[in-house]
Amino acid sequence: MRYERVRVSHALSKSGLPDLDYAFNPYAGCSHGCLYCYARAFTRYPEVARNWGRVVYIKENVVEVLEAEVKRVKRGLVGVSTVTDPYQPVEAWEKLTRRGLEVLLRSGFRVSIQTKSPLVLRDLDVIAPRRGQVDVGFTITTLDPALARLIEPNAPPPGVRVEALRKLASEGLETWVFLGPILRGVNDSEASIAGVVEVAFETGSKLYYDYYHHRPELVESMRPLLNRFPQALATEARWRERVRDAVEKACREIGAECAPAFPEAKRAKSVLEYF
Ligand code: SF4
């Protein structure tokens, strides 16, 4: 991994994602290197996009910029983060996410954290006293560790995420699970979906789901997956309907709450326009 320090002039960006007012991304790039990651198409740093998963920029002054911005902008809900994992390994020593959370929460913003890492537990002392202002979501695409290693090569394994989710829920925090992207022939079986739904139910977490959305930028990164799952990019309407029915049936059967991450009623022309 190569890390570079950069300086920024903005800390909060307007978010097009459903229900979020702002996004706070303290890093550009993400060392988790998920093959399907759309975020590489939305970074303003070409070197990071070209080397997704291998180069991460550390926005070294982002917290100072944030401190100035929170005095000026309207309070709202901030996604932490939307195009990077806020708890990827670099956060262990840089602590930009932690310091950003401190600023946002004491300034009266609500925060929605999304991660794949148990490092979020380090910041329980910051978020637990602000339960009403914070929710935490874990992305769990599969419970199969070998499959997770293939599609999310450097992210913590699913079992570790589940344990962290349990801990957060046991602390009384609002938690949720993002089951996505669902990829054809990869993690779309009824058994695979039901396993993740079960985790959501057991932890009292709402489950959001979404399908894979292909972009030309992802052809190269998806190649290792396509070698084993040649149909993974085929996401036509009939398949999406089958997946939606499978998720909703699994939720109904055990009483879990679930919803599409991008509801049709609010949907932009392409889901990727949200970013
Ligand atoms: S953890 Fe999220 S931001 Fe990081 S590579 Fe994976 S999908 Fe992208």
Side-chain angles (χ1 to χ4, degrees):
M1 272 306 303
R2 189 156 67 76
Y3 294 107
E4 293 283 342
R5 294 186 177 277
V6 293
R7 295 187 70 75
V8 292
S9 50
H10 298 286
L12 292 177
S13 51
K14 281 276 178 199
S15 173
L17 288 166
D19 304 326
L20 297 180
D21 299 301
Y22 308 101
F24 176 65
N25 289 287
Y27 306 100
C30 181
S31 59
H32 288 166
C34 306
L35 306 189
Y36 54 73
C37 181
Y38 318 130
R40 74 192 77 215
F42 300 94
T43 175
R44 54 189 291 248
Y45 303 102
E47 189 200 18
V48 171
R50 276 197 310 275
N51 299 285
W52 193 262
R54 296 187 298 277
V55 175
V56 170
Y57 285 4
I58 298 161
K59 300 180 184 176
E60 63 177 7
N61 64 331
V62 74
V63 179
E64 289 71 28
V65 174
L66 180 66
E67 273 173 346
E69 279 180 3
V70 295
K71 295 182 183 132
R72 295 196 303 268
V73 305
K74 205 170 148 215
R75 301 294 171 264
L77 177 58
V78 184
V80 178
S81 297
T82 58
V83 288
T84 188
D85 191 316
Y87 287 103
Q88 60 179 297
V90 64
E91 170 60 16
W93 62 90
E94 291 294 330
K95 299 186 178 160
L96 296 179
T97 298
R98 178 183 173 89
R99 291 173 51 217
L101 287 174
E102 287 170 341
V103 172
L104 290 166
L105 293 171
R106 73 165 174 262
S107 306
F109 286 81
R110 288 175 50 235
V111 171
S112 183
I113 297 170
Q114 183 172 6
T115 185
K116 291 185 173 94
S117 172
L119 184 56
V120 62
L121 297 178
R122 180 201 63 188
D123 293 346
L124 262 175
D125 62 318
V126 175
I127 58 180
R130 301 270 187 177
R131 278 178 189 78
Q133 273 175 269
V134 186
D135 60 73
V136 185
F138 268 83
T139 305
I140 304 175
T141 43
T142 171
L143 295 178
D144 176 345
L147 181 57
R149 202 160 42 247
L150 173 67
I151 61 179
E152 300 158 345
N154 304 317
V160 171
R161 299 179 216 174
V162 172
E163 279 310 309
L165 182 67
R166 285 195 183 116
K167 171 71 179 157
L168 290 161
S170 74
E171 293 284 332
L173 281 146
E174 181 185 342
T175 54
W176 46 278
V177 170
F178 176 60
L179 168 54
I182 301 174
L183 289 142
R184 186 170 193 160
V186 179
N187 59 344
D188 64 343
S189 71
E190 287 190 9
S192 177
I193 289 168
V196 180
V197 167
E198 173 77 36
V199 168
F201 176 69
E202 174 218 322
T203 55
S205 308
K206 184 166 177 177
L207 180 125
Y208 296 94
Y209 63 94
D210 194 28
Y211 323 98
Y212 173 72
H213 302 270
H214 189 58
R215 285 185 66 100
E217 291 91 336
L218 296 173
V219 170
E220 270 310 304
S221 65
M222 290 291 278
R223 210 175 292 282
L225 185 66
L226 293 175
N227 291 340
R228 218 176 110 192
F229 301 100
Q231 289 189 322
L233 305 188
T235 58
E236 73 268 6
R238 273 182 56 189
W239 172 78
R240 293 200 306 270
E241 275 166 33
R242 183 179 72 69
V243 168
R244 184 198 60 208
D245 291 349
V247 175
E248 294 188 356
K249 176 167 163 273
C251 289
R252 241 186 349 264
E253 279 176 359
I254 59 172
E257 196 186 350
C258 75
F262 300 95
E264 292 295 334
K266 294 190 199 167
R267 202 162 191 146
K269 253 187 292 165
S270 155
V271 75
L272 297 165
E273 288 174 26
Y274 289 116
F275 293 84

